[in-house]
């Protein structure tokens, strides 16, 4: 019988190896990170919601008058009986998102109130996105920010009533969850490419097609260089798989992968004009954002390496 | 932590098992379809005649749609149903002046050879609708009528 076995009539004995695994799992999912980091992250995410709804996603608001034969509700819309948007309901939703998001960014009040505000933002933004994608075209750049918004319902991201430098395992859980959602998008995108097109995706003309459809000066330069585009496709899908290394807790490899993610998105934006902002902004969940928090700055010297669990910092 | 694990599990299920219908847990399928280097690239737009005689080219955003949404629900090899065209014209006319009296859905096709887009393009009209006020030329679209959209099947 192994050391973890239980004798008849006795309580189960937890082995040392089980304790080690449980401890490692706990350290990974609940790293002690500064609460101020999540507080800054919360404001960044809510500001992004505000920008997308009132600036970048104007096309969603335009769905309010789209021809009704094109309304094709996704499953979640059918389940809750969400009707197609009208000019009135769309304007109302924008107002709700706008007011709730500004309140969330201002970030005052007790924790329960902030949870409630964040819940209003999360559910109303989800409704906005469901209206966006219920006309037959689903983009895959929204999952991470939706996860972030619901994480902020559970952990509202506040340093009220505490030292700004205090660490918090729940703040760590929230940021870790967002990091995982962010990173998963890359290997799963690569997997979907192989699932839909096989290994032939690499030698296909998928980049050329995207450039023809959404061209830019930068992209047009590549359009006449198919070998370069194919090499780019090979590098792209390889990098998407390698992005899982960003799930490591620490280390240079994680930093390299995250820098690569930024470069990948810059290339995509330059070539075909797609910024994936609601997704890409979530890379900030990896950064030592507490250094931007006024109260953290007031109590610490910027550049101090004394933050608890600094191993979680990108670059550390 | 259970919530996190549920997120991970449903994200994986979305990629391995589900379709876009499962949004937000849909597969990450943008740019996942690799086309042959010797295939064609198609885009769609509207061409319209207005009540004042002006002929205009319009993109889908004019009527509250993204181009990809129009293209996803419009088979480029089939005739667009008149009721869809009429609904598009009605939306346009609600928001613009002068009225649209004639509407065509146009497919622009560019050939690719060895992955290089060729110069020149082929234009095909797959839908033609007009109201009583229009007296100009029409295109007889000799294609089978499009079936209703097949849903979020892939």
């Amino acid at each position: 019988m192994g050391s973890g076995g239980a004798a008849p009539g006795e309580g189960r004995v937890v082995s040392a190896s089980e304790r080690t695994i449980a401890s490692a799992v706990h350290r990974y999912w609940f790293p002690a990170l500064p609460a101020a980091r999540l507080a800054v992250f919360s404001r960044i995410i809510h500001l992004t919601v505000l920008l997308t709804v009132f600036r970048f996603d104007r096309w969603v608001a335009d769905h309010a008058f789209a021809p009704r034969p094109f309304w094709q509700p996704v499953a979640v819309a059918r389940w809750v009986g969400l009707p197609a948007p009208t000019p009135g309901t769309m304007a109302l939703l924008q107002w709700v998102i706008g007011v709730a998001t500004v309140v969330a960014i201002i970030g005052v009040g007790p924790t329960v109130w902030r949870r409630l505000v964040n819940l209003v933002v999360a559910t109303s933004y989800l409704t906005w996105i469901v209206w966006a994608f219920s006309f037959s075209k689903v983009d895959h750049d929204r999952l991470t920010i939706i996860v972030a918004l619901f994480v902020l319902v559970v952990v509202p991201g506040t340093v009220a009533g505490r030292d700004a430098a205090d660490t918090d395992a729940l703040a760590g859980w929230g940021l870790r969850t967002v990091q995982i959602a962010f990173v998963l998008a890359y290997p799963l995108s690569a997997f979907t490419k192989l699932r839909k097109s096989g290994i032939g995706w690499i030698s296909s003309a998928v980049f050329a097609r995207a450039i023809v459809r959404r061209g830019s000066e930068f992209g047009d330069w590549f359009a006449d260089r198919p070998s370069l585009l194919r090499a780019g496709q090979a590098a792209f899908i390889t990098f998407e798989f390698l992005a899982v290394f960003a799930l490591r807790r620490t280390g240079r490899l994680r930093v390299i992968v995250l820098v690569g993610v930024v470069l990948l998105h810059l290339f995509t934006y330059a070539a075909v004009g797609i910024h994936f902002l609601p997704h890409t902004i979530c890379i900030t969940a990896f950064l030592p954002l507490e250094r931007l928090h006024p109260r953290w700055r007031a109590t610490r010297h910027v550049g101090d390496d004394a933050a608890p669990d600094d191993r979680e910092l990108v670059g550390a | 932590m259970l919530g996190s694990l549920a997120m991970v599990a449903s994200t994986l299920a979305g990629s391995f098992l589900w379709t876009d219908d499962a949004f937000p847990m849909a597969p990450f399928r943008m740019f996942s379809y690799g086309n042959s280097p010797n295939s064609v690239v198609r885009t769609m737009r509207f061409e319209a005649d207005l009540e004042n005689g002006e002929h205009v080219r319009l993109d889908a955003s004019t009527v509250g749609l993204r181009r990809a949404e129009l293209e996803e629900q419009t088979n480029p090899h089939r005739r667009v149903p008149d009721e869809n065209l009429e609904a598009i014209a009605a939306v346009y006319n609600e928001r613009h002046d002068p009225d649209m009296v004639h509407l065509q859905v146009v497919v622009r096709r560019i050939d690719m050879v060895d992955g290089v887009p060729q110069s020149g393009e082929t234009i095909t009209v797959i839908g033609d609708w007009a109201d009583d006020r229009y007296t100009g030329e029409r295109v007889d679209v000799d294609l089978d009528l499009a079936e209703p959209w097949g849903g979020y099947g892939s």
Side-chain angles (χ1 to χ4, degrees):
Chain A
M1 185 182 290
S3 61
E10 293 180 352
R12 185 171 176 276
V13 178
V14 178
S15 71
S17 62
E18 283 177 319
R19 278 197 301 272
T20 304
I21 292 171
S23 172
V25 168
H26 189 271
R27 277 202 312 275
Y28 186 81
W29 279 100
F30 296 94
L33 296 180
R37 186 179 301 187
L38 188 65
V40 175
F41 179 73
S42 167
R43 286 183 165 85
I44 290 172
I45 291 301
H46 286 120
L47 187 62
T48 303
V49 167
L50 206 58
L51 281 173
T52 53
V53 169
F54 289 95
R55 170 84 182 162
F56 298 121
D57 281 358
R58 294 296 309 163
W59 57 269
V60 181
D62 288 349
H63 276 163
F65 59 84
R68 281 299 166 265
F70 288 86
W71 166 247
Q72 306 291 353
V74 293
V76 65
R78 299 195 302 274
W79 292 340
V80 301
L82 184 71
T86 66
T89 57
M90 186 65 88
L92 178 64
L93 183 65
Q94 279 187 291
W95 269 101
V96 170
I97 295 173
V99 171
T101 307
V102 168
V103 172
I105 291 170
I106 293 170
V108 292
T111 300
V112 66
W113 163 253
R114 300 177 71 156
R115 279 203 176 101
L116 184 64
V117 170
N118 290 357
L119 180 63
V120 172
V121 174
T123 51
S124 56
Y125 186 70
L126 181 60
T127 305
W128 169 267
I129 295 301
V130 169
W131 269 345
F133 296 157
S134 283
F135 285 78
S136 77
K137 169 71 163 59
V138 174
D139 299 340
H140 70 218
D141 63 341
R142 304 303 167 114
L143 176 61
T144 317
I145 197 167
I146 289 171
V147 168
L149 288 170
F150 280 97
V151 158
L152 291 170
V153 175
V154 181
V155 196
T158 174
V159 292
R162 62 204 298 190
D163 189 315
D166 281 355
T167 58
D168 181 347
L170 266 183
W173 165 82
L175 289 162
R176 178 71 81 219
T177 301
V178 175
Q179 291 172 358
I180 289 172
F182 177 85
V183 171
L184 278 180
Y186 299 96
L188 292 178
S189 292
F191 169 77
T192 305
K193 290 177 177 74
L194 296 182
R195 181 181 161 204
K196 301 290 183 189
S197 305
I199 196 70
W201 186 89
I202 292 172
S203 56
S204 74
V206 61
F207 279 8
R209 178 175 182 272
I211 289 169
V212 169
R213 286 175 54 79
R214 305 182 57 98
S216 65
E217 279 188 27
F218 181 70
D220 290 346
W221 185 85
F222 281 98
D224 291 330
R225 294 164 175 81
S227 298
L228 203 54
L229 286 179
R230 280 194 287 273
Q233 287 164 197
F236 198 95
I237 196 169
T238 302
F239 179 78
E240 284 187 320
F241 276 120
L242 292 178
V244 289
F245 287 107
L247 289 178
R248 292 165 57 94
R249 293 184 67 208
T250 58
R252 189 174 298 276
L253 186 56
R254 179 164 102 147
V255 178
I256 292 170
V257 169
L258 292 172
V259 170
V261 166
V262 172
L263 294 176
L264 179 149
H265 284 291
L266 286 175
F267 174 82
T268 306
Y269 182 70
V272 294
I274 302 177
H275 52 63
F276 294 112
L277 178 66
H279 169 79
T280 50
I281 196 70
C282 292
I283 200 171
T284 56
F286 291 89
L287 302 178
L289 298 171
E290 66 276 13
R291 296 178 184 191
L292 301 175
H293 198 288
R295 283 179 53 193
W296 193 93
R297 293 170 68 90
T299 54
R300 287 181 173 274
H301 297 293
V302 175
D304 247 1
D305 288 333
D309 206 353
D310 243 356
R311 291 172 304 164
E312 287 291 336
L313 304 183
V314 162
Chain B
M1 185 163 158
L2 281 179
S4 303
L5 293 176
M7 180 275 291
V8 171
S10 55
T11 303
L12 292 173
S15 285
F16 286 85
L17 303 171
W18 298 338
T19 69
D20 278 353
D21 200 30
F23 175 82
M25 298 307 177
F28 298 90
R29 74 178 186 97
M30 289 172 75
F31 303 110
S32 64
Y33 291 97
N35 52 306
S36 162
N38 295 300
S39 59
V40 301
V41 181
R42 293 187 179 86
T43 59
M44 284 185 197
R45 66 166 186 256
F46 301 126
E47 295 208 5
D49 291 291
L50 308 182
E51 194 175 18
N52 64 356
E54 187 182 359
H55 183 82
V56 291
R57 285 183 179 179
L58 305 168
D59 63 38
S61 64
T62 319
V63 291
L65 292 171
R66 289 185 289 173
R67 185 178 67 183
E69 292 162 345
L70 170 70
E71 292 169 342
E72 173 66 32
Q73 298 191 49
T74 308
N75 185 332
H77 306 295
R78 293 287 183 270
R79 179 161 55 86
V80 184
D82 279 352
E83 55 267 32
N84 283 13
L85 295 168
E86 192 170 354
I88 292 167
V91 165
Y92 181 89
N93 291 344
E94 272 179 25
R95 299 176 56 84
H96 300 87
D97 197 32
D99 276 0
M100 173 189 292
V101 293
H102 177 222
L103 171 64
Q104 293 179 326
V105 177
V106 169
V107 177
R108 170 177 168 255
R109 169 188 156 147
I110 295 173
D111 293 317
M112 300 215 316
V113 176
D114 294 331
V116 179
Q118 304 298 293
S119 59
E121 58 186 39
T122 307
I123 299 294
T124 309
V125 176
I126 62 168
D128 187 294
W129 169 91
D131 77 5
D132 297 339
R133 292 170 287 180
Y134 181 68
T135 56
E137 288 186 15
R138 301 279 304 274
V139 171
D140 183 17
V141 179
D142 187 20
L143 296 169
D144 292 337
L145 187 64
E147 299 284 332
W149 184 59
Y152 296 93
S154 59

